[in-house]
Amino acid sequence: MSSATKTLALLSHFSADRPEIGLSQLCRIAGRDKATTYRHLQALETAGFVEQNPTTKHYRLGPAVLQLAQVREATVPRKLGAQLPLSQLADVTGETAHVSVVSGTTLYALASCESPRHGTRAIIDITTFPLHATASGLCALAFGPDAMLEAALSQMDRFTPHTATTAEALSDLITDARATGFGCSDRSFEAEIHSLSAPLYDQTGLFAGAVSVASVATRVSPEQERLIKTELIKASRDITRNWGGQLPANVTSAWASGSSRHYETDSTP
């Protein structure tokens, strides 16, 4: 990993739940030494990507990030194209729906929508998705660029007893995702959460991200799983269309075959 990559990677540790981070805390989170982390923060501060709170001396995202985010959304309006399908997905399934987008070999959270139907529900509070342990990540590995597999194999942390931590176990999950058209994470990232994902495509014709439903695992009956998969297919079609893309034949064929044959598989892109 280059110095520039390591520097920019520090930005991924900031979130709505963790808007400010002290130097020592960031060292622990990133797993880096203090001198290197400070040097990288100085570079980010000079470029306007981070700034220091004058009171706490903690770091927070700087104005340059906001400017880039506005340009990104204005020129590639992914979030807008996902909002209505996400809302409908959460409403019909009664669970938390969310969309992630790929950049390089990293899968970033884009938008989420929680259903008010249940008091206990999944909350999406991460900015990047572990490729080997989440349904979104498995979608990326099954339908995204080959380089993502190398990235996944280099970071196979164990989050729960159900997390795949070997290349063989991960290969089985990817094979299943390609066969069914859905990524599935059964308590492998969070102990109480079951997630299903379907791939998304944009105007380039390439994998662009995933749309997912995260549920409390005890609520996922066979009937509920069938409903979620049916609605994921609808959402995948709608978001892909809104992003100017078209679903490839291997995905629609996977939905139309095997265990997915009972789901809605209208061939219209």
Side-chain angles (χ1 to χ4, degrees):
M1 185 182 295
S2 69
S3 178
T5 300
K6 291 179 180 178
T7 300
L8 292 172
L10 292 177
L11 298 174
S12 67
H13 298 297
F14 294 89
S15 68
D17 292 326
R18 193 166 55 201
E20 294 190 3
I21 309 176
L23 175 58
S24 296
Q25 182 186 10
L26 189 55
C27 290
R28 291 194 299 271
I29 296 170
R32 302 182 194 173
D33 66 84
K34 196 168 186 177
T36 301
T37 304
Y38 179 72
R39 186 173 69 253
H40 290 166
L41 284 170
Q42 288 293 98
L44 290 171
E45 188 173 17
T46 299
F49 288 106
V50 299
E51 62 185 13
Q52 272 189 297
N53 182 321
T55 302
T56 66
K57 303 302 181 183
H58 288 180
Y59 291 89
R60 62 194 180 194
L61 294 178
V65 174
L66 175 61
Q67 180 184 4
L68 291 176
Q70 290 173 335
V71 172
R72 169 71 181 186
E73 190 58 24
T75 55
V76 188
R78 300 291 176 88
K79 184 176 289 187
L80 181 63
Q83 283 177 342
L84 180 57
L86 268 188
S87 177
Q88 294 172 335
L89 183 58
D91 182 58
V92 176
T93 63
E95 301 293 349
T96 299
H98 63 97
V99 165
S100 53
V101 291
V102 68
S103 179
T105 59
T106 303
L107 200 59
Y108 295 93
L110 176 69
S112 65
C113 183
E114 298 175 21
S115 169
R117 190 180 306 176
H118 303 287
T120 303
R121 52 186 179 265
I123 297 175
I124 308 304
D125 58 358
I126 57 176
T127 55
T128 61
F129 292 86
L131 298 175
H132 69 295
T134 61
S136 304
L138 291 171
C139 253
L141 293 174
F143 303 107
D146 292 341
M148 299 199 78
L149 179 57
E150 182 178 349
L153 292 173
S154 69
Q155 294 183 324
M156 296 191 68
D157 298 332
R158 182 184 294 277
F159 296 102
T160 77
H162 300 277
T163 306
T165 56
T166 66
E168 182 179 7
L170 184 58
S171 177
D172 289 342
L173 293 173
I174 295 171
T175 297
D176 184 68
R178 287 173 177 158
T180 64
F182 299 102
C184 179
S185 166
D186 187 8
R187 297 166 293 171
S188 59
F189 180 55
E190 295 181 89
E192 305 300 326
I193 300 299
H194 179 285
S195 295
L196 288 162
S197 296
L200 300 171
Y201 295 79
D202 62 14
Q203 77 284 353
T204 67
L206 302 175
F207 173 84
V211 57
S212 311
V213 171
S215 314
V216 173
T218 54
R219 289 202 292 263
V220 185
S221 63
E223 293 77 14
Q224 176 70 355
E225 182 173 337
R226 282 194 290 272
L227 172 65
I228 290 172
K229 287 183 175 180
T230 297
E231 296 305 315
L232 278 174
I233 290 173
K234 294 178 183 177
S236 175
R237 292 188 185 283
D238 289 344
I239 296 171
T240 292
R241 185 182 300 114
N242 291 345
W243 289 1
Q246 183 171 336
L247 291 165
N250 64 317
V251 172
T252 56
S253 295
W255 289 340
S257 64
S259 60
S260 304
R261 64 182 177 276
H262 299 299
Y263 309 135
E264 177 185 320
T265 54
D266 177 8
S267 59
T268 304

